[in-house]
Amino acid sequence: LVALALVTIIGWWRLYVVQSTSTFMYSITKVIPVPVAEVDNQPVLYSDYLMRYIGSIHYAVSKEQLNLDSEDGKRRVSHIKQQSMDDVIAEAYAAKLAKEMNISINDEDFELFLTAQRQSNGTTMTEAAYQAVVLDYYGWSSSEYRHEMKSNLLRQKVSYAMDDDALKLANGLYDSLKLNPDQDLKTLVEATPTQGGSKAAYGVSGWVPKSNKDGGRTEAASKLEKSQISSVIKSTSGNGYYIVRLLDVSDKQVNYEYIEVPLTAFTNKLQTVKDENKVEKFITIQ
């Protein structure tokens, strides 16, 4: 009993006082699901925070040659800690809302999502090859990567499900373009009022490769004829809706303009929870 109490005290001290981010403590938190924070009574797991943090640090050191002992490195570490905390709080809150809204990820949808992540330049990497890339970039195992992607996909589904204003705004813009396909997109966006919390934005891609990863805009543009407008499409990165018009095309590149309607309902709801002091962090990040 004394030994168990001693181990518990040391573990608590390492996590909540020293705030150890070692792989050993990460392994402990995977076995013992202790919280690093709480959002609206939903626990935020310490293991999720450490997985995100360790992966980001791995990338910064191995791919960006970040010196963790330098002043810039220390500032970057603080930023990564804060970003990791913000991300896992958002994902935990999305999981809470998913239960309330009866939203889940079925195996078929998840496998399709993972396959899409492995696609590039018209080809699909094997699972083994893609996992080798993930391991090289983030140091994540296959199970860790799948866990992160499932959390990401669930957050996307929740964000889309709760944002009726964004969908109504996107559909309204598309209806207007169906009536008058030659309208100037930028003028249309500027004349369109905000719908609830959603405001449309206009953009132009310039010449980009047909394999460009940009939330699905390039893929949609590649299927159009010149001056043709796409239907409303969901961003493959889960951040909103797009309407795309192809401006020009060559063998390997496309040039298009687009309307973007970002999702805001989830972000605004989470911010309200923070403003109401319903987020409690159990560690302090400078």
Side-chain angles (χ1 to χ4, degrees), residues 98-122:
K99 291 179 182 178
E100 296 173 357
M101 301 167 70
N102 198 28
I103 294 174
S104 60
I105 307 297
N106 62 53
D107 292 340
E108 183 179 356
D109 287 344
F110 186 50
E111 293 304 325
L112 288 173
F113 177 77
L114 292 179
T115 299
Q117 304 304 302
R118 302 198 307 268
Q119 292 174 340
S120 179
N121 296 321

mmCIF file with all atom_site columns, all heavy atoms in Angstrom, residues 98-122:
data_model
loop_
_atom_site.group_PDB
_atom_site.id
_atom_site.type_symbol
_atom_site.label_atom_id
_atom_site.label_alt_id
_atom_site.label_comp_id
_atom_site.label_asym_id
_atom_site.label_entity_id
_atom_site.label_seq_id
_atom_site.pdbx_PDB_ins_code
_atom_site.Cartn_x
_atom_site.Cartn_y
_atom_site.Cartn_z
_atom_site.occupancy
_atom_site.B_iso_or_equiv
_atom_site.pdbx_formal_charge
_atom_site.auth_seq_id
_atom_site.auth_comp_id
_atom_site.auth_asym_id
_atom_site.auth_atom_id
_atom_site.pdbx_PDB_model_num
ATOM 1   N N   . ALA A 1 98  ? -21.280 14.895 -29.995 1.00 0.00 ? 98  ALA A N   1
ATOM 2   C CA  . ALA A 1 98  ? -21.616 13.750 -30.849 1.00 0.00 ? 98  ALA A CA  1
ATOM 3   C C   . ALA A 1 98  ? -22.552 12.795 -30.119 1.00 0.00 ? 98  ALA A C   1
ATOM 4   O O   . ALA A 1 98  ? -23.511 12.265 -30.709 1.00 0.00 ? 98  ALA A O   1
ATOM 5   C CB  . ALA A 1 98  ? -20.351 13.034 -31.300 1.00 0.00 ? 98  ALA A CB  1
ATOM 6   N N   . LYS A 1 99  ? -22.289 12.558 -28.836 1.00 0.00 ? 99  LYS A N   1
ATOM 7   C CA  . LYS A 1 99  ? -23.167 11.688 -28.048 1.00 0.00 ? 99  LYS A CA  1
ATOM 8   C C   . LYS A 1 99  ? -24.555 12.298 -27.932 1.00 0.00 ? 99  LYS A C   1
ATOM 9   O O   . LYS A 1 99  ? -25.570 11.598 -28.059 1.00 0.00 ? 99  LYS A O   1
ATOM 10  C CB  . LYS A 1 99  ? -22.565 11.459 -26.664 1.00 0.00 ? 99  LYS A CB  1
ATOM 11  C CG  . LYS A 1 99  ? -21.296 10.618 -26.658 1.00 0.00 ? 99  LYS A CG  1
ATOM 12  C CD  . LYS A 1 99  ? -20.754 10.456 -25.242 1.00 0.00 ? 99  LYS A CD  1
ATOM 13  C CE  . LYS A 1 99  ? -19.460 9.667  -25.245 1.00 0.00 ? 99  LYS A CE  1
ATOM 14  N NZ  . LYS A 1 99  ? -18.891 9.544  -23.869 1.00 0.00 ? 99  LYS A NZ  1
ATOM 15  N N   . GLU A 1 100 ? -24.610 13.594 -27.689 1.00 0.00 ? 100 GLU A N   1
ATOM 16  C CA  . GLU A 1 100 ? -25.898 14.268 -27.540 1.00 0.00 ? 100 GLU A CA  1
ATOM 17  C C   . GLU A 1 100 ? -26.684 14.280 -28.844 1.00 0.00 ? 100 GLU A C   1
ATOM 18  O O   . GLU A 1 100 ? -27.925 14.220 -28.837 1.00 0.00 ? 100 GLU A O   1
ATOM 19  C CB  . GLU A 1 100 ? -25.672 15.704 -27.047 1.00 0.00 ? 100 GLU A CB  1
ATOM 20  C CG  . GLU A 1 100 ? -25.050 15.799 -25.665 1.00 0.00 ? 100 GLU A CG  1
ATOM 21  C CD  . GLU A 1 100 ? -24.683 17.210 -25.279 1.00 0.00 ? 100 GLU A CD  1
ATOM 22  O OE1 . GLU A 1 100 ? -24.858 18.125 -26.121 1.00 0.00 ? 100 GLU A OE1 1
ATOM 23  O OE2 . GLU A 1 100 ? -24.227 17.417 -24.131 1.00 0.00 ? 100 GLU A OE2 1
ATOM 24  N N   . MET A 1 101 ? -25.979 14.352 -29.972 1.00 0.00 ? 101 MET A N   1
ATOM 25  C CA  . MET A 1 101 ? -26.620 14.427 -31.286 1.00 0.00 ? 101 MET A CA  1
ATOM 26  C C   . MET A 1 101 ? -26.738 13.056 -31.957 1.00 0.00 ? 101 MET A C   1
ATOM 27  O O   . MET A 1 101 ? -27.182 12.974 -33.105 1.00 0.00 ? 101 MET A O   1
ATOM 28  C CB  . MET A 1 101 ? -25.822 15.385 -32.180 1.00 0.00 ? 101 MET A CB  1
ATOM 29  C CG  . MET A 1 101 ? -25.707 16.794 -31.633 1.00 0.00 ? 101 MET A CG  1
ATOM 30  S SD  . MET A 1 101 ? -24.472 17.812 -32.499 1.00 0.00 ? 101 MET A SD  1
ATOM 31  C CE  . MET A 1 101 ? -25.279 18.030 -34.083 1.00 0.00 ? 101 MET A CE  1
ATOM 32  N N   . ASN A 1 102 ? -26.301 12.022 -31.253 1.00 0.00 ? 102 ASN A N   1
ATOM 33  C CA  . ASN A 1 102 ? -26.351 10.654 -31.778 1.00 0.00 ? 102 ASN A CA  1
ATOM 34  C C   . ASN A 1 102 ? -25.567 10.527 -33.091 1.00 0.00 ? 102 ASN A C   1
ATOM 35  O O   . ASN A 1 102 ? -26.023 9.922  -34.064 1.00 0.00 ? 102 ASN A O   1
ATOM 36  C CB  . ASN A 1 102 ? -27.805 10.210 -31.988 1.00 0.00 ? 102 ASN A CB  1
ATOM 37  C CG  . ASN A 1 102 ? -27.921 8.697  -32.111 1.00 0.00 ? 102 ASN A CG  1
ATOM 38  O OD1 . ASN A 1 102 ? -27.114 7.942  -31.573 1.00 0.00 ? 102 ASN A OD1 1
ATOM 39  N ND2 . ASN A 1 102 ? -28.920 8.245  -32.852 1.00 0.00 ? 102 ASN A ND2 1
ATOM 40  N N   . ILE A 1 103 ? -24.369 11.096 -33.091 1.00 0.00 ? 103 ILE A N   1
ATOM 41  C CA  . ILE A 1 103 ? -23.483 11.037 -34.257 1.00 0.00 ? 103 ILE A CA  1
ATOM 42  C C   . ILE A 1 103 ? -22.334 10.084 -33.946 1.00 0.00 ? 103 ILE A C   1
ATOM 43  O O   . ILE A 1 103 ? -21.749 10.143 -32.859 1.00 0.00 ? 103 ILE A O   1
ATOM 44  C CB  . ILE A 1 103 ? -22.927 12.436 -34.600 1.00 0.00 ? 103 ILE A CB  1
ATOM 45  C CG1 . ILE A 1 103 ? -24.052 13.358 -35.057 1.00 0.00 ? 103 ILE A CG1 1
ATOM 46  C CG2 . ILE A 1 103 ? -21.847 12.353 -35.675 1.00 0.00 ? 103 ILE A CG2 1
ATOM 47  C CD1 . ILE A 1 103 ? -23.606 14.790 -35.270 1.00 0.00 ? 103 ILE A CD1 1
ATOM 48  N N   . SER A 1 104 ? -22.014 9.224  -34.883 1.00 0.00 ? 104 SER A N   1
ATOM 49  C CA  . SER A 1 104 ? -20.914 8.290  -34.690 1.00 0.00 ? 104 SER A CA  1
ATOM 50  C C   . SER A 1 104 ? -20.208 8.068  -36.028 1.00 0.00 ? 104 SER A C   1
ATOM 51  O O   . SER A 1 104 ? -20.695 8.479  -37.081 1.00 0.00 ? 104 SER A O   1
ATOM 52  C CB  . SER A 1 104 ? -21.412 6.960  -34.119 1.00 0.00 ? 104 SER A CB  1
ATOM 53  O OG  . SER A 1 104 ? -22.348 6.366  -35.000 1.00 0.00 ? 104 SER A OG  1
ATOM 54  N N   . ILE A 1 105 ? -19.065 7.404  -35.973 1.00 0.00 ? 105 ILE A N   1
ATOM 55  C CA  . ILE A 1 105 ? -18.290 7.087  -37.160 1.00 0.00 ? 105 ILE A CA  1
ATOM 56  C C   . ILE A 1 105 ? -18.400 5.590  -37.413 1.00 0.00 ? 105 ILE A C   1
ATOM 57  O O   . ILE A 1 105 ? -17.940 4.788  -36.600 1.00 0.00 ? 105 ILE A O   1
ATOM 58  C CB  . ILE A 1 105 ? -16.797 7.472  -36.989 1.00 0.00 ? 105 ILE A CB  1
ATOM 59  C CG1 . ILE A 1 105 ? -16.662 8.930  -36.564 1.00 0.00 ? 105 ILE A CG1 1
ATOM 60  C CG2 . ILE A 1 105 ? -16.030 7.197  -38.274 1.00 0.00 ? 105 ILE A CG2 1
ATOM 61  C CD1 . ILE A 1 105 ? -17.177 9.924  -37.572 1.00 0.00 ? 105 ILE A CD1 1
ATOM 62  N N   . ASN A 1 106 ? -19.016 5.202  -38.530 1.00 0.00 ? 106 ASN A N   1
ATOM 63  C CA  . ASN A 1 106 ? -19.062 3.770  -38.828 1.00 0.00 ? 106 ASN A CA  1
ATOM 64  C C   . ASN A 1 106 ? -17.783 3.350  -39.552 1.00 0.00 ? 106 ASN A C   1
ATOM 65  O O   . ASN A 1 106 ? -17.044 4.181  -40.096 1.00 0.00 ? 106 ASN A O   1
ATOM 66  C CB  . ASN A 1 106 ? -20.311 3.401  -39.649 1.00 0.00 ? 106 ASN A CB  1
ATOM 67  C CG  . ASN A 1 106 ? -20.347 4.084  -41.012 1.00 0.00 ? 106 ASN A CG  1
ATOM 68  O OD1 . ASN A 1 106 ? -19.403 4.004  -41.786 1.00 0.00 ? 106 ASN A OD1 1
ATOM 69  N ND2 . ASN A 1 106 ? -21.458 4.744  -41.314 1.00 0.00 ? 106 ASN A ND2 1
ATOM 70  N N   . ASP A 1 107 ? -17.522 2.073  -39.523 1.00 0.00 ? 107 ASP A N   1
ATOM 71  C CA  . ASP A 1 107 ? -16.256 1.544  -40.046 1.00 0.00 ? 107 ASP A CA  1
ATOM 72  C C   . ASP A 1 107 ? -16.078 1.863  -41.528 1.00 0.00 ? 107 ASP A C   1
ATOM 73  O O   . ASP A 1 107 ? -14.966 2.193  -41.979 1.00 0.00 ? 107 ASP A O   1
ATOM 74  C CB  . ASP A 1 107 ? -16.192 0.027  -39.837 1.00 0.00 ? 107 ASP A CB  1
ATOM 75  C CG  . ASP A 1 107 ? -16.073 -0.340 -38.364 1.00 0.00 ? 107 ASP A CG  1
ATOM 76  O OD1 . ASP A 1 107 ? -15.670 0.535  -37.575 1.00 0.00 ? 107 ASP A OD1 1
ATOM 77  O OD2 . ASP A 1 107 ? -16.387 -1.492 -38.012 1.00 0.00 ? 107 ASP A OD2 1
ATOM 78  N N   . GLU A 1 108 ? -17.167 1.773  -42.302 1.00 0.00 ? 108 GLU A N   1
ATOM 79  C CA  . GLU A 1 108 ? -17.062 2.006  -43.755 1.00 0.00 ? 108 GLU A CA  1
ATOM 80  C C   . GLU A 1 108 ? -16.663 3.445  -44.049 1.00 0.00 ? 108 GLU A C   1
ATOM 81  O O   . GLU A 1 108 ? -15.762 3.702  -44.855 1.00 0.00 ? 108 GLU A O   1
ATOM 82  C CB  . GLU A 1 108 ? -18.393 1.678  -44.430 1.00 0.00 ? 108 GLU A CB  1
ATOM 83  C CG  . GLU A 1 108 ? -18.355 1.825  -45.946 1.00 0.00 ? 108 GLU A CG  1
ATOM 84  C CD  . GLU A 1 108 ? -19.670 1.482  -46.611 1.00 0.00 ? 108 GLU A CD  1
ATOM 85  O OE1 . GLU A 1 108 ? -20.616 1.057  -45.890 1.00 0.00 ? 108 GLU A OE1 1
ATOM 86  O OE2 . GLU A 1 108 ? -19.781 1.631  -47.835 1.00 0.00 ? 108 GLU A OE2 1
ATOM 87  N N   . ASP A 1 109 ? -17.322 4.390  -43.393 1.00 0.00 ? 109 ASP A N   1
ATOM 88  C CA  . ASP A 1 109 ? -16.987 5.803  -43.599 1.00 0.00 ? 109 ASP A CA  1
ATOM 89  C C   . ASP A 1 109 ? -15.552 6.095  -43.179 1.00 0.00 ? 109 ASP A C   1
ATOM 90  O O   . ASP A 1 109 ? -14.842 6.872  -43.827 1.00 0.00 ? 109 ASP A O   1
ATOM 91  C CB  . ASP A 1 109 ? -17.947 6.698  -42.812 1.00 0.00 ? 109 ASP A CB  1
ATOM 92  C CG  . ASP A 1 109 ? -19.338 6.749  -43.417 1.00 0.00 ? 109 ASP A CG  1
ATOM 93  O OD1 . ASP A 1 109 ? -19.475 6.342  -44.587 1.00 0.00 ? 109 ASP A OD1 1
ATOM 94  O OD2 . ASP A 1 109 ? -20.277 7.182  -42.727 1.00 0.00 ? 109 ASP A OD2 1
ATOM 95  N N   . PHE A 1 110 ? -15.136 5.478  -42.085 1.00 0.00 ? 110 PHE A N   1
ATOM 96  C CA  . PHE A 1 110 ? -13.789 5.729  -41.583 1.00 0.00 ? 110 PHE A CA  1
ATOM 97  C C   . PHE A 1 110 ? -12.729 5.198  -42.545 1.00 0.00 ? 110 PHE A C   1
ATOM 98  O O   . PHE A 1 110 ? -11.731 5.871  -42.814 1.00 0.00 ? 110 PHE A O   1
ATOM 99  C CB  . PHE A 1 110 ? -13.620 5.090  -40.204 1.00 0.00 ? 110 PHE A CB  1
ATOM 100 C CG  . PHE A 1 110 ? -12.312 5.420  -39.545 1.00 0.00 ? 110 PHE A CG  1
ATOM 101 C CD1 . PHE A 1 110 ? -11.865 6.730  -39.451 1.00 0.00 ? 110 PHE A CD1 1
ATOM 102 C CD2 . PHE A 1 110 ? -11.508 4.419  -39.012 1.00 0.00 ? 110 PHE A CD2 1
ATOM 103 C CE1 . PHE A 1 110 ? -10.655 7.036  -38.839 1.00 0.00 ? 110 PHE A CE1 1
ATOM 104 C CE2 . PHE A 1 110 ? -10.307 4.717  -38.408 1.00 0.00 ? 110 PHE A CE2 1
ATOM 105 C CZ  . PHE A 1 110 ? -9.878  6.029  -38.314 1.00 0.00 ? 110 PHE A CZ  1
ATOM 106 N N   . GLU A 1 111 ? -12.953 4.012  -43.088 1.00 0.00 ? 111 GLU A N   1
ATOM 107 C CA  . GLU A 1 111 ? -11.986 3.449  -44.032 1.00 0.00 ? 111 GLU A CA  1
ATOM 108 C C   . GLU A 1 111 ? -11.930 4.273  -45.311 1.00 0.00 ? 111 GLU A C   1
ATOM 109 O O   . GLU A 1 111 ? -10.853 4.463  -45.898 1.00 0.00 ? 111 GLU A O   1
ATOM 110 C CB  . GLU A 1 111 ? -12.335 1.995  -44.345 1.00 0.00 ? 111 GLU A CB  1
ATOM 111 C CG  . GLU A 1 111 ? -12.170 1.039  -43.165 1.00 0.00 ? 111 GLU A CG  1
ATOM 112 C CD  . GLU A 1 111 ? -10.776 1.070  -42.560 1.00 0.00 ? 111 GLU A CD  1
ATOM 113 O OE1 . GLU A 1 111 ? -9.791  1.244  -43.325 1.00 0.00 ? 111 GLU A OE1 1
ATOM 114 O OE2 . GLU A 1 111 ? -10.657 0.931  -41.326 1.00 0.00 ? 111 GLU A OE2 1
ATOM 115 N N   . LEU A 1 112 ? -13.075 4.791  -45.762 1.00 0.00 ? 112 LEU A N   1
ATOM 116 C CA  . LEU A 1 112 ? -13.087 5.667  -46.944 1.00 0.00 ? 112 LEU A CA  1
ATOM 117 C C   . LEU A 1 112 ? -12.308 6.951  -46.662 1.00 0.00 ? 112 LEU A C   1
ATOM 118 O O   . LEU A 1 112 ? -11.580 7.452  -47.528 1.00 0.00 ? 112 LEU A O   1
ATOM 119 C CB  . LEU A 1 112 ? -14.530 6.002  -47.336 1.00 0.00 ? 112 LEU A CB  1
ATOM 120 C CG  . LEU A 1 112 ? -15.341 4.875  -47.969 1.00 0.00 ? 112 LEU A CG  1
ATOM 121 C CD1 . LEU A 1 112 ? -16.797 5.309  -48.155 1.00 0.00 ? 112 LEU A CD1 1
ATOM 122 C CD2 . LEU A 1 112 ? -14.746 4.468  -49.324 1.00 0.00 ? 112 LEU A CD2 1
ATOM 123 N N   . PHE A 1 113 ? -12.457 7.479  -45.454 1.00 0.00 ? 113 PHE A N   1
ATOM 124 C CA  . PHE A 1 113 ? -11.737 8.678  -45.049 1.00 0.00 ? 113 PHE A CA  1
ATOM 125 C C   . PHE A 1 113 ? -10.232 8.430  -45.048 1.00 0.00 ? 113 PHE A C   1
ATOM 126 O O   . PHE A 1 113 ? -9.446  9.241  -45.558 1.00 0.00 ? 113 PHE A O   1
ATOM 127 C CB  . PHE A 1 113 ? -12.211 9.112  -43.670 1.00 0.00 ? 113 PHE A CB  1
ATOM 128 C CG  . PHE A 1 113 ? -11.494 10.303 -43.102 1.00 0.00 ? 113 PHE A CG  1
ATOM 129 C CD1 . PHE A 1 113 ? -11.789 11.583 -43.542 1.00 0.00 ? 113 PHE A CD1 1
ATOM 130 C CD2 . PHE A 1 113 ? -10.524 10.150 -42.129 1.00 0.00 ? 113 PHE A CD2 1
ATOM 131 C CE1 . PHE A 1 113 ? -11.123 12.684 -43.016 1.00 0.00 ? 113 PHE A CE1 1
ATOM 132 C CE2 . PHE A 1 113 ? -9.854  11.238 -41.593 1.00 0.00 ? 113 PHE A CE2 1
ATOM 133 C CZ  . PHE A 1 113 ? -10.166 12.511 -42.044 1.00 0.00 ? 113 PHE A CZ  1
ATOM 134 N N   . LEU A 1 114 ? -9.812  7.295  -44.507 1.00 0.00 ? 114 LEU A N   1
ATOM 135 C CA  . LEU A 1 114 ? -8.388  6.958  -44.467 1.00 0.00 ? 114 LEU A CA  1
ATOM 136 C C   . LEU A 1 114 ? -7.832  6.755  -45.873 1.00 0.00 ? 114 LEU A C   1
ATOM 137 O O   . LEU A 1 114 ? -6.701  7.159  -46.171 1.00 0.00 ? 114 LEU A O   1
ATOM 138 C CB  . LEU A 1 114 ? -8.166  5.695  -43.626 1.00 0.00 ? 114 LEU A CB  1
ATOM 139 C CG  . LEU A 1 114 ? -8.439  5.813  -42.131 1.00 0.00 ? 114 LEU A CG  1
ATOM 140 C CD1 . LEU A 1 114 ? -8.185  4.470  -41.446 1.00 0.00 ? 114 LEU A CD1 1
ATOM 141 C CD2 . LEU A 1 114 ? -7.589  6.903  -41.494 1.00 0.00 ? 114 LEU A CD2 1
ATOM 142 N N   . THR A 1 115 ? -8.619  6.147  -46.737 1.00 0.00 ? 115 THR A N   1
ATOM 143 C CA  . THR A 1 115 ? -8.184  5.946  -48.123 1.00 0.00 ? 115 THR A CA  1
ATOM 144 C C   . THR A 1 115 ? -7.971  7.282  -48.812 1.00 0.00 ? 115 THR A C   1
ATOM 145 O O   . THR A 1 115 ? -6.991  7.471  -49.548 1.00 0.00 ? 115 THR A O   1
ATOM 146 C CB  . THR A 1 115 ? -9.223  5.115  -48.901 1.00 0.00 ? 115 THR A CB  1
ATOM 147 O OG1 . THR A 1 115 ? -9.362  3.830  -48.281 1.00 0.00 ? 115 THR A OG1 1
ATOM 148 C CG2 . THR A 1 115 ? -8.796  4.924  -50.350 1.00 0.00 ? 115 THR A CG2 1
ATOM 149 N N   . ALA A 1 116 ? -8.869  8.230  -48.566 1.00 0.00 ? 116 ALA A N   1
ATOM 150 C CA  . ALA A 1 116 ? -8.733  9.556  -49.167 1.00 0.00 ? 116 ALA A CA  1
ATOM 151 C C   . ALA A 1 116 ? -7.459  10.254 -48.700 1.00 0.00 ? 116 ALA A C   1
ATOM 152 O O   . ALA A 1 116 ? -6.824  10.989 -49.465 1.00 0.00 ? 116 ALA A O   1
ATOM 153 C CB  . ALA A 1 116 ? -9.952  10.408 -48.823 1.00 0.00 ? 116 ALA A CB  1
ATOM 154 N N   . GLN A 1 117 ? -7.066  10.015 -47.451 1.00 0.00 ? 117 GLN A N   1
ATOM 155 C CA  . GLN A 1 117 ? -5.834  10.606 -46.937 1.00 0.00 ? 117 GLN A CA  1
ATOM 156 C C   . GLN A 1 117 ? -4.602  10.070 -47.663 1.00 0.00 ? 117 GLN A C   1
ATOM 157 O O   . GLN A 1 117 ? -3.571  10.743 -47.751 1.00 0.00 ? 117 GLN A O   1
ATOM 158 C CB  . GLN A 1 117 ? -5.694  10.333 -45.435 1.00 0.00 ? 117 GLN A CB  1
ATOM 159 C CG  . GLN A 1 117 ? -6.846  10.807 -44.580 1.00 0.00 ? 117 GLN A CG  1
ATOM 160 C CD  . GLN A 1 117 ? -7.127  12.279 -44.747 1.00 0.00 ? 117 GLN A CD  1
ATOM 161 O OE1 . GLN A 1 117 ? -6.265  13.127 -44.523 1.00 0.00 ? 117 GLN A OE1 1
ATOM 162 N NE2 . GLN A 1 117 ? -8.343  12.601 -45.148 1.00 0.00 ? 117 GLN A NE2 1
ATOM 163 N N   . ARG A 1 118 ? -4.700  8.847  -48.179 1.00 0.00 ? 118 ARG A N   1
ATOM 164 C CA  . ARG A 1 118 ? -3.553  8.209  -48.831 1.00 0.00 ? 118 ARG A CA  1
ATOM 165 C C   . ARG A 1 118 ? -3.483  8.503  -50.324 1.00 0.00 ? 118 ARG A C   1
ATOM 166 O O   . ARG A 1 118 ? -2.547  8.064  -50.991 1.00 0.00 ? 118 ARG A O   1
ATOM 167 C CB  . ARG A 1 118 ? -3.599  6.693  -48.630 1.00 0.00 ? 118 ARG A CB  1
ATOM 168 C CG  . ARG A 1 118 ? -3.614  6.248  -47.182 1.00 0.00 ? 118 ARG A CG  1
ATOM 169 C CD  . ARG A 1 118 ? -3.223  4.774  -47.034 1.00 0.00 ? 118 ARG A CD  1
ATOM 170 N NE  . ARG A 1 118 ? -4.003  3.896  -47.879 1.00 0.00 ? 118 ARG A NE  1
ATOM 171 C CZ  . ARG A 1 118 ? -5.131  3.296  -47.501 1.00 0.00 ? 118 ARG A CZ  1
ATOM 172 N NH1 . ARG A 1 118 ? -5.631  3.522  -46.296 1.00 0.00 ? 118 ARG A NH1 1
ATOM 173 N NH2 . ARG A 1 118 ? -5.762  2.477  -48.329 1.00 0.00 ? 118 ARG A NH2 1
ATOM 174 N N   . GLN A 1 119 ? -4.452  9.236  -50.850 1.00 0.00 ? 119 GLN A N   1
ATOM 175 C CA  . GLN A 1 119 ? -4.492  9.505  -52.284 1.00 0.00 ? 119 GLN A CA  1
ATOM 176 C C   . GLN A 1 119 ? -3.700  10.758 -52.641 1.00 0.00 ? 119 GLN A C   1
ATOM 177 O O   . GLN A 1 119 ? -3.796  11.781 -51.972 1.00 0.00 ? 119 GLN A O   1
ATOM 178 C CB  . GLN A 1 119 ? -5.941  9.649  -52.754 1.00 0.00 ? 119 GLN A CB  1
ATOM 179 C CG  . GLN A 1 119 ? -6.725  8.355  -52.693 1.00 0.00 ? 119 GLN A CG  1
ATOM 180 C CD  . GLN A 1 119 ? -8.187  8.537  -53.033 1.00 0.00 ? 119 GLN A CD  1
ATOM 181 O OE1 . GLN A 1 119 ? -8.722  9.635  -52.976 1.00 0.00 ? 119 GLN A OE1 1
ATOM 182 N NE2 . GLN A 1 119 ? -8.851  7.450  -53.391 1.00 0.00 ? 119 GLN A NE2 1
ATOM 183 N N   . SER A 1 120 ? -2.942  10.673 -53.701 1.00 0.00 ? 120 SER A N   1
ATOM 184 C CA  . SER A 1 120 ? -2.148  11.800 -54.178 1.00 0.00 ? 120 SER A CA  1
ATOM 185 C C   . SER A 1 120 ? -1.759  11.562 -55.630 1.00 0.00 ? 120 SER A C   1
ATOM 186 O O   . SER A 1 120 ? -1.383  10.446 -56.004 1.00 0.00 ? 120 SER A O   1
ATOM 187 C CB  . SER A 1 120 ? -0.884  11.976 -53.328 1.00 0.00 ? 120 SER A CB  1
ATOM 188 O OG  . SER A 1 120 ? -0.095  13.049 -53.792 1.00 0.00 ? 120 SER A OG  1
ATOM 189 N N   . ASN A 1 121 ? -1.893  12.600 -56.449 1.00 0.00 ? 121 ASN A N   1
ATOM 190 C CA  . ASN A 1 121 ? -1.530  12.524 -57.870 1.00 0.00 ? 121 ASN A CA  1
ATOM 191 C C   . ASN A 1 121 ? -2.240  11.369 -58.589 1.00 0.00 ? 121 ASN A C   1
ATOM 192 O O   . ASN A 1 121 ? -1.669  10.710 -59.454 1.00 0.00 ? 121 ASN A O   1
ATOM 193 C CB  . ASN A 1 121 ? -0.010  12.371 -58.037 1.00 0.00 ? 121 ASN A CB  1
ATOM 194 C CG  . ASN A 1 121 ? 0.752   13.575 -57.516 1.00 0.00 ? 121 ASN A CG  1
ATOM 195 O OD1 . ASN A 1 121 ? 0.317   14.706 -57.683 1.00 0.00 ? 121 ASN A OD1 1
ATOM 196 N ND2 . ASN A 1 121 ? 1.880   13.330 -56.871 1.00 0.00 ? 121 ASN A ND2 1
ATOM 197 N N   . GLY A 1 122 ? -3.480  11.128 -58.212 1.00 0.00 ? 122 GLY A N   1
ATOM 198 C CA  . GLY A 1 122 ? -4.261  10.112 -58.888 1.00 0.00 ? 122 GLY A CA  1
ATOM 199 C C   . GLY A 1 122 ? -3.952  8.689  -58.474 1.00 0.00 ? 122 GLY A C   1
ATOM 200 O O   . GLY A 1 122 ? -4.495  7.739  -59.036 1.00 0.00 ? 122 GLY A O   1
#
